Amino acid sequence: DAGVIQSPRHEVTEMGQEVTLRCKPISGHNSLFWYRQTMMRGLELLIYFNNNVPIDDSGMPEDRFSAKMPNASFSTLKIQPSEPRDSAVYFCASSFSTTTGNEQFFGPGTRLTVL
Amino acid sequence: AQSVTQLDSHVSVSEGTPVLLRCNYSSSYSPSLFWYVQHPNKGLQLLLKYTSAATLVKGINGFEAEFKKSETSFHLTKPSAHMSDAAEYFCVVSGFSGGYNKLIFGAGTRLAVHP
C-alpha cells in the first residue's frame, strides 16, 4: 500500500488566496483525520470523518476553514481566505475505525506558507 | 479525561549510549498508548503501541516501552542510540471524547544524537 497520500507537499500563497489541501487515505480505512502542526500549538486535531461523514469538527479554527470527504478515497481541506497565521504543516491521517488501540497512519504533510 | 505529559522537551545523547524518553499519562480507564516518531520534514510514524497485552512492548528500530500502571508511565527506551534516531518523539494516549476514541498527543521530545 502506498500509505496516506497528501498533495501538494508544499504550498506558498499570498494572504487572501484560497488554498486547497488534498488527501487520499489508505484503502479500507474508514476514519480520516486532519491535523495542523505548529511550533506554538503542537499537533491539533481539526476534523474527523467516519465513513465519509464529519463527526467532530470542533477543532476547525473558524469559518474560513472547511473540509469535505466526497468518497472513501478522497478528502479536501480548504482555507478561504488564507491568512499568515494559517502557516503550518497540515497532516492527514487515516485508521481502520477508532476502536481503542487502533493506530492512525499519517501522510507526509503539506507545508503551507501564507505570505 | 485522558492526558499525556512528556517530561523532557529536549534530550541529547551520544551515539551508542542508551536513550530514555519519559512519558506519564492520565486516564480514567485502561488506556491504549503509543509512541510516534517524526523525522525532519516527514510525517509521523508509529514506533510501538500498548493495548493491555504485554506490559513490555517492542517496536521498530530497537525501541521498546514499558507500561507501568502504578507509576502511570510509558517511557521509551533504546539500548544504543544511532545517529538516525535523531527526531521528535510523541507519546500518545487514546482517549474517549466526543463519542469516539481520539489520539491525545504529548508536546513532543526532540532527541539529538551526537557522534
Side-chain angles (χ1 to χ4, degrees), chain A:
Chain A
D1 199 316
V4 176
I5 299 172
Q6 291 186 248
S7 65
R9 292 293 310 277
H10 302 273
E11 177 81 33
V12 180
T13 191
E14 294 190 344
M15 183 174 61
Q17 296 298 305
E18 177 180 297
V19 175
T20 300
L21 312 181
R22 296 173 177 79
C23 174
K24 177 179 169 56
I26 291 173
S27 177
H29 285 185
N30 65 0
S31 298
L32 184 138
F33 308 81
W34 282 99
Y35 290 88
R36 177 172 67 177
Q37 185 179 40
T38 61
M39 290 291 291
M40 292 297 293
R41 301 171 68 93
L43 266 165
E44 304 172 275
L45 175 65
L46 299 178
I47 188 167
Y48 157 54
F49 290 88
N50 183 258
N51 292 323
N52 314 335
V53 176
I55 302 299
D56 180 5
D57 65 355
S58 60
M60 296 286 264
E62 49 198 275
D63 291 346
R64 298 184 297 106
F65 285 69
S66 63
K68 294 182 180 179
M69 192 165 186
N71 57 60
S73 58
F74 184 66
S75 177
T76 59
L77 177 67
K78 185 178 293 186
I79 308 172
Q80 166 63 17
S82 58
E83 296 182 3
R85 61 194 168 116
D86 302 330
S87 297
V89 181
Y90 291 81
F91 289 104
C92 176
S94 70
S95 71
F96 180 66
S97 89
T98 56
T99 302
T100 184
N102 279 342
E103 65 267 32
Q104 294 176 18
F105 295 81
F106 283 76
T110 296
R111 183 174 295 276
L112 173 64
T113 302
V114 183
L115 303 174

Side-chain angles (χ1 to χ4, degrees), chain A residues 9 33 35 37 39 43 45 48 55-56 58 89 91 98-109 111, chain B residues 29-32 34 36 38 41-46 49 51 88 90 94 97-98 100-103 105 110:
Chain A
R9 292 293 310 277
F33 308 81
Y35 290 88
Q37 185 179 40
M39 290 291 291
L43 266 165
L45 175 65
Y48 157 54
I55 302 299
D56 180 5
S58 60
V89 181
F91 289 104
T98 56
T99 302
T100 184
N102 279 342
E103 65 267 32
Q104 294 176 18
F105 295 81
F106 283 76
R111 183 174 295 276
Chain B
Y29 53 87
S30 184
S32 291
F34 309 80
Y36 280 83
Q38 184 180 25
N41 301 313
K42 302 287 187 184
L44 281 76
Q45 179 186 17
L46 181 70
K49 69 176 181 180
T51 55
E88 184 134 25
F90 293 93
S94 177
S97 173
Y100 68 100
N101 285 300
K102 62 171 61 173
L103 296 188
F105 288 80
R110 186 167 296 278

Side-chain angles (χ1 to χ4, degrees), chain B residues 51-105:
Chain B
T51 55
S52 74
T55 56
L56 182 62
V57 182
K58 294 188 184 298
I60 61 172
N61 301 333
F63 284 94
E64 61 182 37
E66 186 171 7
F67 174 72
K68 291 187 176 181
K69 185 175 180 179
S70 61
E71 299 176 10
T72 62
S73 69
F74 191 57
H75 301 335
L76 182 70
T77 60
K78 183 174 180 178
S80 177
H82 191 273
M83 296 296 289
S84 61
D85 295 327
E88 184 134 25
Y89 292 79
F90 293 93
C91 183
V92 183
V93 63
S94 177
F96 194 80
S97 173
Y100 68 100
N101 285 300
K102 62 171 61 173
L103 296 188
I104 299 160
F105 288 80

